[in-house]
């Protein structure tokens, strides 16, 4: 598995192969359910997915978050899943635990079969 970090300094390119995304939840403002919420740190990924319709190769979304934020837990992953009509395959808290690595791997394998 090759991994690529998409950031503000990433040169956009057309994706030739199917891929998954793993997104953290970093938000600014709001309650998580209103229009005033602002995504931070993942905007470049959204732009990358929109570039030349890269999102058409998106197989699924993984996401992390902090359960202390209630409805905002993994909100970014939920939003990407809905916006790009890609399944939300697995979520985990904060940086995850060893069990999460196994579960993510299983989700990838199951999706590729």
């Amino acid at each position: 598995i090759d991994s690529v970090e998409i950031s503000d300094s990433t040169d956009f390119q057309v994706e030739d192969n199917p891929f998954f995304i793993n997104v953290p939840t970093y938000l600014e403002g709001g309650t998580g359910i209103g229009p005033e919420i602002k995504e931070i740190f993942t905007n470049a990924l959204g732009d990358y997915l929109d570039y030349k319709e890269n999102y058409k190769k998106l197989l699924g979304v993984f996401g992390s978050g902090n359960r202390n934020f209630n409805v905002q837990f993994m909100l970014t992953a939920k939003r990407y899943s809905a916006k790009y009509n890609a399944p939300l395959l697995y979520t985990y808290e904060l940086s995850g635990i060893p069990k999460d690595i196994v579960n993510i791997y299983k989700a990838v394998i199951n999706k590729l079969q």
Side-chain angles (χ1 to χ4, degrees):
I1 295 175
D2 294 323
S3 64
V4 176
E5 179 181 347
I6 304 299
S7 71
D8 291 336
S9 62
T10 300
D11 291 329
F12 289 5
Q13 64 184 26
V14 175
E15 289 296 330
D16 294 322
N17 297 308
F19 61 91
F20 300 90
I21 61 171
N22 184 27
V23 294
T25 300
Y26 290 106
L27 308 169
E28 187 174 273
T31 62
I33 55 175
E36 70 284 354
I37 197 163
K38 179 181 173 190
E39 302 275 346
I40 54 176
F41 298 123
T42 62
N43 296 323
L45 177 60
D47 294 341
Y48 189 86
L49 292 172
D50 291 337
Y51 179 76
K52 306 282 185 176
E53 299 183 326
N54 277 332
Y55 64 86
K56 289 185 175 182
K57 299 280 188 180
L58 178 60
L59 295 177
V61 178
F62 298 97
S64 68
N66 186 330
R67 292 186 195 279
N68 288 341
F69 292 106
N70 301 313
V71 296
Q72 290 183 345
F73 175 64
M74 54 165 209
L75 185 60
T76 301
K78 288 179 182 178
R79 287 179 154 189
Y80 274 78
S81 174
K83 179 178 180 181
Y84 297 108
N85 195 30
L88 180 58
L89 298 172
Y90 188 78
T91 62
Y92 54 96
E93 187 166 20
L94 302 174
S95 296
I97 59 175
K99 175 185 166 191
D100 294 320
I101 295 168
V102 172
N103 290 337
I104 289 170
Y105 178 78
K106 286 179 182 177
V108 167
I109 296 303
N110 287 338
K111 187 67 179 172
L112 292 176
Q113 292 180 341

